[in-house]
Amino acid sequence: MSRVLLFGSSGFIGAHVRAALAADPGVGELISPGRDRYDLVEGDRDGLTGLLRETAPDAVICCVGRLGGTNEELTRANTLVAAKLLDAVEAAAPGTRLVRLGSAGEYGVVAHGHAVTENDPTEPIGAYGISHLAGTRLFELAARTGRVDAVSVRVFNPIGPGQSAENVLGRAQLRLREAAQLGASEIVLGPLGAYRDFVDVRDLAALLCSVVLAPSLPSRVYNAGSGEAAQVRTAVQLLAEQAGFTGEIREHGSGPQRSAAVDWIQADISRAAGELGWAPAVGLATTIKDIWAAGAPG
């Protein structure tokens, strides 16, 4: 029975991870401190080491991070948080397994049709991907030197009930609900021609449980995707069908800076399947049905 310390449980991914861990019989105690107890981005290392000594976890999971912001904000939330956790775990909780969420943005531009593996080149195209790649590299170094049992899970495009409007399907859901309220015959979104690997957040949570509870980890980086690429336009159309919207979906402007230049991404998930026995169980159509049923995004 493991004692697990989870940071970021109030966020979209973290809330689902918390639910999955709470339901797993391998977890004996789940500790989910809020920001009022310890703020992982703003707090100092002494506060973190104190929390680790107090809770004595077997595993620590970090679901804290930023999708957008300035270079400084992204670096603080995605890179420096990783460094702070490594230093604190090494000092106060040696032997603890430390798991962080990375990003498919670490890979950068991928050839169309290629399913990217964890051993493929990492050439991020912006500060978001760079900030995550730096965190992953720090974790790999710590694990290689034996300082910390550290692992990164590279998350592709997580979607599911409760997602925020920072996600393209979250924005689409808001526009569709607004159109229904106003009786509008069109909605406007950014470009929808790119292909993305949409992974249900509940499948991601299941993978994180496997990573946390595995007796040993053969690898230090795992892709978390569906293993399939779908055009964003297709996903938005499925959402429009759930909404009963028959109007025009107009594409205008540009996409998020963190991924605008990447027109194709698909995960090779064979490492997680072979080493951890994990496979995604929720298909895209089911996820989108559940997204709409859950109500407006947070």
Side-chain angles (χ1 to χ4, degrees):
M1 300 287 282
S2 296
R3 181 184 293 115
V4 179
L5 177 61
L6 170 65
F7 289 104
S9 64
S10 63
F12 167 51
I13 294 176
H16 286 278
V17 172
R18 181 178 184 176
L21 289 168
D24 197 305
V27 178
E29 183 180 358
L30 177 60
I31 306 158
S32 304
R35 291 181 185 174
D36 56 341
R37 186 172 181 188
Y38 183 78
D39 187 322
L40 197 54
V41 176
E42 301 295 339
D44 59 23
R45 198 186 79 166
D46 288 344
L48 181 55
T49 55
L51 178 61
L52 289 169
R53 290 192 177 103
E54 176 189 343
T55 56
D58 299 298
V60 177
I61 307 179
C62 176
C63 293
V64 173
R66 287 188 70 106
L67 287 172
T70 65
N71 291 341
E72 180 183 358
E73 288 169 337
L74 289 166
T75 301
R76 289 178 65 197
N78 299 333
T79 308
L80 295 184
V81 159
K84 187 187 302 182
L85 281 165
L86 286 170
D87 288 343
V89 167
E90 184 179 11
T96 298
R97 178 166 295 167
L98 179 54
V99 184
R100 67 177 289 274
L101 299 184
S103 170
E106 297 172 43
Y107 292 113
V109 178
V110 176
H112 193 94
H114 176 64
V116 67
T117 75
E118 293 88 346
N119 291 327
D120 276 12
T122 47
E123 299 177 352
I125 59 172
Y128 170 75
I130 290 170
S131 68
H132 268 300
L133 181 58
T136 297
R137 290 285 184 260
L138 287 170
F139 266 47
E140 287 179 306
L141 177 62
R144 188 163 59 247
T145 57
R147 289 168 37 222
V148 178
D149 182 12
V151 61
S152 295
V153 176
R154 281 185 178 139
V155 183
F156 278 62
N157 292 83
I159 60 173
Q163 66 183 21
S164 78
E166 288 185 293
N167 175 292
V168 63
L169 292 182
R171 291 191 295 275
Q173 186 184 175
L174 281 178
R175 301 291 181 273
L176 289 165
R177 292 188 184 279
E178 290 168 356
Q181 292 173 354
L182 299 173
S185 59
E186 73 168 23
I187 64 170
V188 180
L189 295 166
L192 304 175
Y195 287 79
R196 294 289 179 260
D197 187 324
F198 294 107
V199 59
D200 190 285
V201 67
R202 294 161 292 190
D203 284 330
L204 170 58
L207 174 56
L208 287 166
C209 285
S210 296
V211 170
V212 166
L213 298 174
S216 62
L217 293 171
S219 301
R220 293 297 149 183
V221 180
Y222 291 95
N223 282 342
S226 69
E228 299 179 359
Q231 195 168 37
V232 177
R233 189 176 294 122
T234 300
V236 170
Q237 186 57 50
L238 287 171
L239 188 62
E241 290 171 7
Q242 284 296 315
F245 179 76
T246 58
E248 180 184 1
I249 301 172
R250 192 156 59 88
E251 301 173 34
H252 179 73
S254 58
Q257 184 179 5
R258 65 179 181 274
S259 59
V262 178
D263 63 5
W264 168 276
I265 193 74
Q266 178 182 339
D268 182 315
I269 55 175
S270 57
R271 176 179 288 182
E275 296 181 1
L276 300 171
W278 172 83
V282 186
L284 179 60
T286 298
T287 305
I288 288 179
K289 180 180 178 180
D290 292 346
I291 287 171
W292 186 257

